[in-house]
């Protein structure tokens, strides 16, 4: 169902955030991009609802920020610009809703940070060895992905 897909996408965003904080940028990228793929799948199923577009913009923001942090400004800009377009359309269409009105600001701030990074020397965050708990979570995520792919 679209609801279960949304739950999975939110969980993948959480995995991506945790992976990034632990320095496992490759796992973060995989989780964010899988989440992004699911968000697009939801839109194909239910249409461009305000909620599905907001969720897509959140995934675009997280993905764009990760690419910015890991030294791929072109990819970061693509994700952030796409998300900004969605956020601005939502803010214009739902000007009475504070959540939608604040959304473009997150993208504008991320794009400003990206620009300032490009003007100075890039210093990627230090890579960390994943802790045992994180290694266990990665294995569990791999099992979930395998089971999910078998159902599709």
């Amino acid at each position: 169902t679209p609801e279960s897909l949304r739950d999975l996408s939110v969980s993948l965003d959480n995995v991506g955030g945790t992976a990034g904080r632990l320095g496992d940028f490759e796992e973060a990228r995989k989780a964010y991009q899988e989440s992004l793929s699911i968000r697009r799948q939801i839109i194909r199923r239910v249409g461009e609802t305000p909620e599905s577009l907001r969720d897509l913009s959140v995934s675009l923001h997280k993905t764009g920020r990760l690419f910015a942090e890991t030294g791929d400004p072109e990819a970061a800009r693509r994700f952030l610009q796409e998300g900004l377009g969605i956020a601005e359309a939502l803010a214009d269409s739902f000007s009475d809703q504070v959540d939608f009105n604040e959304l473009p600001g997150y993208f504008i701030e991320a794009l400003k940070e990206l620009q300032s990074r490009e003007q100075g020397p890039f210093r990627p965050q230090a890579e960390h060895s994943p802790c045992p708990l994180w290694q266990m979570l990665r294995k569990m995520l791999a099992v979930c992905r395998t089971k999910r792919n078998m159902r599709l």
Side-chain angles (χ1 to χ4, degrees):
T1 67
E3 294 81 14
S4 61
L5 285 173
R6 183 183 186 279
D7 291 344
L8 176 59
S9 180
V10 169
S11 296
L12 286 164
D13 280 343
N14 290 335
V15 167
T18 301
R21 282 188 295 282
L22 291 172
D24 191 345
F25 300 118
E26 182 60 24
E27 187 63 33
R29 184 192 60 76
K30 286 179 188 176
Y32 283 150
Q33 289 189 314
E34 188 173 352
S35 173
L36 192 54
S37 174
I38 291 169
R39 303 285 180 151
R40 293 184 195 284
Q41 180 182 355
I42 292 169
I43 288 174
R44 284 192 300 275
R45 284 189 181 184
V46 303
E48 293 184 347
T49 67
E51 294 78 16
S52 66
L53 289 171
R54 180 205 55 223
D55 289 348
L56 175 60
S57 74
V58 168
S59 288
L60 288 164
H61 184 265
K62 289 175 184 281
T63 306
R65 298 280 307 222
L66 178 71
F67 277 99
E69 289 174 18
T70 57
D72 190 345
E74 288 78 26
R77 189 173 288 103
R78 278 194 315 272
F79 288 113
L80 293 170
Q81 290 286 3
E82 182 183 354
L84 177 60
I86 293 168
E88 288 176 336
L90 286 170
D92 289 345
S93 297
F94 301 96
S95 58
D96 59 329
Q97 294 189 24
V98 175
D99 289 347
F100 290 145
N101 284 325
E102 293 176 351
L103 201 52
Y106 295 108
F107 291 93
I108 292 168
E109 186 61 34
L111 287 163
K112 285 180 184 177
E113 288 176 21
L114 179 61
Q115 183 177 355
S116 68
R117 280 178 192 229
E118 289 180 306
Q119 292 172 352
F122 174 72
R123 294 183 185 95
Q125 294 181 356
E127 292 278 339
H128 302 287
S129 296
C131 68
L133 177 61
W134 177 244
Q135 291 172 345
M136 182 182 71
L137 288 171
R138 285 180 69 184
K139 289 177 185 174
M140 291 171 57
L141 181 60
V143 169
C144 290
R145 285 179 176 150
T146 301
K147 287 183 180 181
R148 181 177 156 261
N149 289 337
M150 290 183 344
R151 282 190 231 138
L152 295 178

